[in-house]
Amino acid sequence: MNVTEIDDDALADAYNLGLDLEKAGDIEGAEREYRKVLALDPSDPAGVGIRLAALGRVPTPEKMPDAYVATLFDQHADVFDDILVEQLGYCVPLLLREKIRQLGLGPFESLLDLGCGTGLTGVAFADCADQLTGVDLSEKIVEHAFDREVYDDLYVGEAVAFLQEFEEDDGTVPSYSFIAATDVFPYLGDAGAMVSGAAARLNPNGYFAFSTESLTASGEAGPSFVVGAKKRFAHRLDYLEQLLRTHGFKTLVADPITVRLEDGEPVPGHLVIAQLSAAA
Ligand SMILES: C[S@@+](CC[C@H](N)C(=O)[O-])C[C@H]1O[C@@H](n2cnc3c(N)ncnc32)[C@H](O)[C@@H]1O
């Protein structure tokens, strides 16, 4: 086996120096250190590629590195609910549940919760889904979801790979009546594979619901998604609606929402609910 040793000390030194230089406004210096970090470990668990994109030093990546998302949420798993819900006012799972109630949809035979986190969406939908499945990249966060005792099945894995590849042990390929991805698109740039994967996994007339952070200022010819100053992806709504149409969905809801507070300011986003056409 060919194993390449990663110099953790050199990586930490370069990363910490990069952060200090970025804070001090030395963007050239920060870029130099972040590039050293990437060279030491291209799987990028520190997420410096996203930092470089936020600084405009590299083109917008297609998604966040899986190693970065897993590390980030492993590190924050124990404080996730306290920070996100209590301090930042995050309530997208409840907004989605309420919208579904208003539309008179459900109960659902099966719900797939992509990027399930600690299980807030599972809890919100426990009363209207017979079979709940959760998937998340972070093993530690899946442990918290497990403790909620609302999921029938939980998997540690990447959401798009799950949609494209998951099979039961006996070789059956499960499909779902509802797929949710609350506050997961900010970790995906290009949403094409997510939308096409959801279309392929849904039952006829199934629903796909997700939240986004909104990119409003890019203009007609601007990019479809960008990495914002807070190192999360923001998407244009018209880009997402076009993707949904392309993959056979009808958009039922695309409501402006406040995703959470950031430095006391509301972060604007959209709550989207789309239905797959029976013929798709
Ligand atoms: C902000 S949290 C939201 C969690 C949950 N959906 C909720 O609404 O409370 C984002 C979650 O998505 C997961 N995630 C991000 N990108 C992912 C991907 N590509 N595949 C699987 N999980 C992902 C993260 O690990 C994290 O737990």
Side-chain angles (χ1 to χ4, degrees):
M1 193 167 53
N2 193 4
V3 178
T4 311
E5 290 258 330
I6 294 170
D7 185 341
D8 289 329
D9 291 341
L11 194 147
D13 286 349
Y15 178 67
N16 289 326
L17 180 56
L19 288 183
D20 288 346
L21 292 170
E22 186 182 343
K23 265 191 216 134
D26 180 355
I27 305 306
E28 300 291 328
E31 176 181 358
R32 183 190 62 238
E33 297 306 316
Y34 291 155
R35 287 190 185 277
K36 271 190 214 164
V37 174
L38 269 184
L40 285 163
D41 186 353
S43 76
D44 194 15
V48 292
I50 293 296
R51 288 188 169 275
L52 285 167
L55 294 171
R57 297 297 163 132
V58 295
T60 306
E62 301 285 285
K63 65 182 292 223
M64 292 204 190
D66 292 350
Y68 169 57
V69 175
T71 307
L72 182 71
F73 285 94
D74 277 352
Q75 283 169 350
H76 290 95
D78 294 342
V79 290
F80 178 90
D81 290 356
D82 184 42
I83 293 181
L84 201 63
V85 181
E86 303 301 330
Q87 297 178 32
L88 305 180
Y90 173 76
C91 62
V92 171
L94 296 178
L95 291 178
L96 176 59
R97 178 68 189 92
E98 175 57 14
K99 199 78 208 177
I100 290 293
R101 193 193 62 73
Q102 285 171 11
L103 293 171
L105 303 178
F108 304 101
E109 208 175 291
S110 51
L111 188 153
L112 174 63
D113 184 7
L114 295 173
C116 62
T118 58
L120 298 173
T121 294
V123 170
F125 280 79
D127 68 333
C128 75
D130 295 340
Q131 184 81 18
L132 264 166
T133 303
V135 182
D136 201 287
L137 267 172
S138 158
E139 191 171 344
K140 288 237 167 73
I141 221 151
V142 166
E143 285 169 13
H144 285 267
F146 180 82
D147 290 342
R148 302 255 195 212
E149 297 185 352
V150 291
Y151 293 93
D152 298 281
D153 297 298
L154 278 165
Y155 299 93
V156 177
E158 201 283 320
V160 172
F162 184 93
L163 290 171
Q164 293 173 342
E165 295 160 17
F166 179 73
E167 290 181 3
E168 302 284 7
D169 288 343
D170 64 3
T172 52
V173 179
S175 59
Y176 303 89
S177 28
F178 191 109
I179 297 178
T182 48
D183 207 26
V184 178
F185 277 49
Y187 302 87
L188 307 171
D190 185 338
M194 178 69 129
V195 176
S196 71
R201 276 286 167 180
L202 278 170
N203 297 332
N205 296 314
Y207 299 93
F208 182 34
F210 56 88
S211 62
T212 66
E213 288 183 15
S214 306
L215 171 60
T216 47
S218 73
E220 279 282 296
S224 304
F225 53 88
V226 297
V227 178
K230 294 292 176 186
K231 328 284 184 302
R232 290 160 58 96
F233 286 102
H235 294 86
R236 283 170 66 137
L237 182 61
D238 59 353
Y239 157 71
L240 295 168
E241 287 179 326
Q242 179 57 49
L243 267 182
L244 287 166
R245 274 194 296 280
T246 302
H247 293 287
F249 287 98
K250 179 176 179 219
T251 300
L252 305 180
V253 169
D255 286 354
I257 55 167
T258 292
V259 179
R260 61 173 199 292
L261 302 178
E262 192 83 65
D263 302 327
E265 293 295 318
V267 176
H270 282 91
L271 181 68
V272 178
I273 303 174
Q275 184 173 25
L276 193 64
S277 311

